Amino acid sequence: AFLLYMLDVTERRVAERSVAERQRELTAITAASPDVIAVVSADLRVSFISEAVAGLSGRRAADVVGGVVGDVLHEDDRPMLIDAVRAVTSGAAEDFTIRVRSRHTSGRWLLLEAHGRPLLGDDGAPIAAVVVFRDISDRIALEAALVEARDVADAASRAKSEFLSRMSHELR
């Protein structure tokens, strides 16, 4: 005697293929972004971070995953990021945008803009935060240079006007 048991696994195979395809899409999306994309759990641990972190911070993604979010930030900025992530993961806030300073492995400081939104579970409640970090150091430096150039041009214009006014007065 023998027992034969057959199970149709077609649906399971289709679901597995769908999940694998979705994973490839997400990997391609995060790899294509120059920004660092991170998933931070409610206990403030980094559960995922894109490979762009290597270019931004000099650290490998594998070394960052599992660590506490914000451990490379300036000590004055760390509480701000932690509070923002907690607010999003608790449902107290829908999103956040903050600026924080982060130290590159070379020792230089970068100014980052962090945007965060909740990652929702099946029940619609937040289970983690998705945070996108963008290096804005160059943009801020350029803005400061433009402001300085404008101030220099304004000072030169005032000096020219004053000079012409005095010359006009002397000629009279």
Side-chain angles (χ1 to χ4, degrees):
F2 64 92
L3 176 65
L4 177 65
Y5 179 78
M6 296 178 68
L7 178 64
D8 184 7
V9 293
T10 306
E11 287 182 26
R12 187 169 127 208
R13 297 284 176 156
V14 169
E16 288 173 352
R17 281 191 208 111
S18 176
V19 167
E21 181 179 331
R22 186 73 173 150
Q23 184 62 38
R24 283 191 302 275
E25 288 174 356
L26 290 174
T27 300
I29 290 167
T30 59
S33 174
D35 298 334
V36 174
I37 302 169
V39 177
V40 181
S41 62
D43 66 352
L44 303 176
R45 297 272 177 201
V46 178
S47 59
F48 168 83
I49 195 157
S50 64
E51 292 296 328
V53 72
L56 186 69
S57 72
R59 292 166 183 78
R60 294 180 328 126
D63 296 337
V64 177
V65 171
V68 176
V69 69
D71 62 352
V72 297
L73 296 183
H74 190 279
E75 63 185 36
D76 294 341
D77 298 343
R78 191 175 301 127
M80 183 173 34
L81 178 64
I82 289 173
D83 290 346
V85 169
R86 282 187 176 143
V88 166
T89 57
S90 70
E94 289 184 22
D95 60 6
F96 66 83
T97 300
I98 58 173
R99 289 184 176 177
V100 294
R101 293 164 287 178
S102 177
R103 186 180 292 278
H104 190 276
T105 55
S106 67
R108 67 185 166 99
W109 286 98
L110 303 171
L111 183 60
L112 306 178
E113 191 169 72
H115 300 274
R117 295 193 52 92
L119 176 64
L120 304 177
D122 292 336
D123 61 354
I127 56 171
V130 176
V131 185
V132 178
F133 295 95
R134 175 174 288 162
D135 182 7
I136 60 170
S137 303
D138 293 340
R139 185 178 85 195
I140 297 300
L142 180 61
E143 287 173 3
L146 287 172
V147 167
E148 184 178 337
R150 184 197 65 209
D151 292 346
V152 167
D154 287 347
S157 178
R158 283 192 303 274
K160 176 183 157 191
S161 294
E162 186 177 319
F163 173 76
L164 289 175
S165 174
R166 285 185 183 168
M167 288 305 291
S168 175
H169 179 70
E170 290 297 322
L171 288 174
R172 282 188 212 141

